[in-house]
């Protein structure tokens, strides 16, 4: 790895003015808002898992359809052939890990019969376990339009992912599944119970009535890639789509989106009497839940009520995932707040279709009673979201540039797979290994609650191209430090900074690009040491004030010894691979 030392001529406490020709990109997400989790990528149908202190969120890649449409027109979902991956350890700063290229991974699937082959990848559901050999295994299920459910497998939450099968796991020929031409075999939901048994729910688009009979659940074999029983019905009232599963307090919890059927009081009262419940009937397009001890018994499921309201925010559908992270539960769902902001600002045409964004809000769950309290999305139309991190952000840990609370004018590219002479990137499925951020003059990123403790004395930026990056505590405020760089390959560019400025906890830390000639950014971090030419070699071996024991990647994610390791790997504070 090459390094370049750029010592500033001053301590950069003086405000440096941006070129008058440059305009800072707008803040459409809003600095005060936590939603959506991405300020520049349209994504939907979220699912999630907790692993090694991080929450990983996966979703349908609406942005792929948006780009294919030329950033206009309706969202037909037909060009969604990849799955986005994000992660966080504080619930406000999110790392974009790129996309899982399902089209490429599933290219060897059968084409006869056609309904067992690959077409698109919507509405993922994910889980993981440690197998008998002590290896961590990750399983990602997705629906191939309405035809069925496919499965991918990996040894890391960010891949690389492979297809263990040559066709869909669930399809029209699966015993107990919905028949061809009637209901859909889509929107999977997976869970592994305390006995290590995997269960998969799916189905939807049944008749618009109180009991569509389109929801299904099936037990999986120990491999998690084959069904073990005939699929059975879940008798979910007003069921439509968006199936997910949880295991809470020793019980199975099934969540789904309700349909648009007319709801009569007499019909619902009859249902309540038949099932001995007191819950109110659900409004249209709301997230409902049911509970059971025996998931393969259709008559055992008990309707409990609504926990997720219609998100509004411009969207005409609803899909959510209930996720426990660091001991608390979160409602992860989609709306269209970013699309609405872009339309109102004239960034895109007023007649542009609905391209969705993933959002997160808190939810209260009584694990003993297995009761989910209804989520409150009233604050600023749900845009407020999670604004207070569950822990402060560590600026001394190596950070990917793709980690941010918000951004403006930012694009992502994969430097091994980007196409020539095109503005559209082709991202591989190996997540962050090759991903970088491309920024033009006026673009910016930000992180929240950066804790500088006693003070930083230097800043290290891994970048290539030619550019000027200003560090600020507000988007348009005073520049606290400036780093200029020029290199044809990714190199470490370093400046010393004023420790009296970079001290304590900063509510926001902005990186604003004021000059750019094909500037591309990979990673950054601060150091509590003032760096000299002889100290450059210490930058990667001592990236933080306190050495963290264990194996980490460049984003500070702890890795297992058996994990596939890509890019820069740090073990006990020392770089062991690049």
């Amino acid at each position: 790895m090459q390094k370049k030392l750029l010592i500033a001529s001053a301590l950069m406490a003086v405000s440096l003015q941006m070129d008058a020709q440059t305009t800072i990109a707008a803040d459409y997400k809003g600095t005060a808002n936590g939603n959506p989790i991405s300020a520049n990528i349209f994504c939907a149908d979220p699912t999630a898992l907790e692993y090694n202190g991080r929450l990983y969120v996966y979703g349908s890649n609406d942005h792929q359809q948006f780009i294919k449409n030329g950033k206009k027109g309706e969202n037909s979902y037909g060009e969604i052939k990849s799955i986005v991956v994000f992660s966080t350890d504080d619930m406000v700063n999110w790392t974009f890990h790129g996309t899982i290229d399902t089209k490429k991974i599933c290219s060897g699937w059968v084409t006869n019969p056609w309904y067992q082959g690959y077409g698109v990848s919507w509405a993922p559901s994910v889980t993981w376990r440690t197998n008998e050999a002590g290896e961590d295994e990750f399983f990602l299920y997705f629906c191939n339009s309405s035809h069925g459910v496919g499965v991918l497998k990996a040894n890391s939450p960010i891949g690389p992912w492979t297809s263990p099968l040559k066709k869909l796991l669930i399809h029209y020929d699966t015993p107990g599944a919905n028949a061809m031409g009637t209901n859909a075999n889509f929107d999977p939901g997976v869970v592994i119970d305390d006995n290590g048994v995997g269960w998969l729910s799916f189905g939807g688009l049944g008749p618009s009535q109180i009991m569509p009979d389109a929801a299904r659940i099936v037990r999986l074999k120990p491999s998690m890639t084959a069904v073990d029983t005939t699929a059975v019905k879940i008798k979910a009232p007003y069921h439509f789509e968006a199936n997910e599963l949880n295991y809470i307090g020793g019980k199975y919890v099934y969540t789904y989106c309700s349909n648009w059927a007319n709801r009569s009081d007499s019909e619902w009262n009859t249902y309540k009497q038949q099932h001995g419940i007191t819950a109110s009937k659900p409004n249209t397009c709301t997230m409902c839940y049911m509970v059971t001890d025996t998931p393969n018994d259709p008559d055992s499921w008990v309707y409990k009520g609504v926990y997720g309201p219609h998100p509004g925010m411009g969207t005409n559908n609803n899909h959510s995932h209930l996720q426990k992270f660091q001991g608390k539960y979160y409602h992860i769902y989609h709306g269209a707040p970013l699309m609405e902001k872009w339309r109102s600002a004239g960034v895109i045409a007023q007649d542009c279709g609905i391209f969705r964004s993933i959002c997160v809000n808190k939810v209260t769950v009584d694990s003993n009673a297995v009761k989910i309290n209804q989520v409150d999305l009233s604050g600023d139309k749900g845009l407020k979201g999670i604004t207070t991190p569950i822990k402060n952000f560590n600026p001394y840990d190596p950070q990917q540039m793709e980690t941010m609370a918000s951004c403006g004018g930012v694009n992502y590219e994969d430097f091994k797979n980007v196409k020539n002479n095109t503005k559209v990137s082709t991202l591989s499925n190996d997540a962050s290994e090759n991903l970088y951020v491309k920024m033009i003059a006026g673009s910016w990123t930000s992180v929240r609650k950066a804790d500088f403790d006693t003070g930083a004395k230097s800043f290290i930026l891994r970048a290539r191209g030619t550019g000027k990056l200003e560090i600020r505590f507000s988007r348009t405020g005073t520049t606290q430090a400036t780093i200029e760089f020029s290199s044809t390959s990714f190199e470490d560019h370093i400046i010393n900074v004023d420790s009296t400025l970079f001290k304590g906890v900063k509510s926001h830390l902005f990186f604003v690009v004021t000059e750019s000639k094909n500037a591309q950014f990979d990673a950054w971090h601060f150091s509590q040491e003032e760096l000299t030419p002889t100290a450059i070699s210490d930058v990667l071996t001592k990236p933080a004030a306190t050495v963290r024991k264990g194996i980490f990647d460049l984003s500070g994610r702890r890795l297992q010894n058996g994990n596939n390791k890509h890019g820069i790997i740090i073990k006990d504070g020392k770089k062991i691979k690049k």
Side-chain angles (χ1 to χ4, degrees), residues 130-260:
T130 302
N131 62 24
E132 293 181 353
E135 301 169 332
D136 293 341
E137 294 180 315
F138 298 80
F139 300 92
L140 184 66
Y141 303 82
F142 65 90
C143 65
N144 183 36
S145 183
S146 62
H147 306 149
V149 176
V151 58
L152 305 180
K153 185 177 179 181
N155 292 319
S156 158
I158 57 174
W161 295 87
T162 60
S163 175
L165 305 177
K166 296 296 184 182
K167 60 182 180 180
L168 291 172
L169 168 65
I170 303 292
H171 46 76
Y172 293 125
D173 298 332
T174 300
N178 291 305
M180 187 183 300
T182 55
N183 304 330
N185 295 309
F186 74 162
D187 285 10
V190 66
V191 74
I192 298 176
D193 63 27
D194 284 349
N195 296 316
V197 178
W199 298 86
L200 188 73
S201 59
F202 61 93
L205 305 187
S208 187
Q209 58 193 39
I210 187 173
M211 194 54 61
D213 282 337
R216 300 287 189 274
I217 189 168
V218 67
R219 189 172 67 211
L220 298 174
K221 289 186 176 181
S223 66
M224 296 291 290
T225 60
V227 298
D228 196 27
T229 58
T230 297
V232 298
K233 293 180 181 179
I234 299 177
K235 297 180 179 180
Y238 299 113
H239 172 266
F240 186 62
E241 60 182 2
N243 316 282
E244 273 279 28
L245 288 172
N246 284 83
Y247 191 71
I248 302 173
K251 294 184 181 293
Y252 302 85
V253 179
Y254 168 66
T255 60
Y256 65 94
C257 176
S258 62
N259 63 18
W260 279 260

Side-chain angles (χ1 to χ4, degrees), residues 275-294:
H275 295 84
I277 63 173
T278 59
S280 300
K281 63 178 181 289
N283 290 330
T284 59
C285 202
T286 54
M287 297 305 302
C288 309
Y289 74 108
M290 303 183 76
V291 175
T292 187
D293 293 314
T294 51

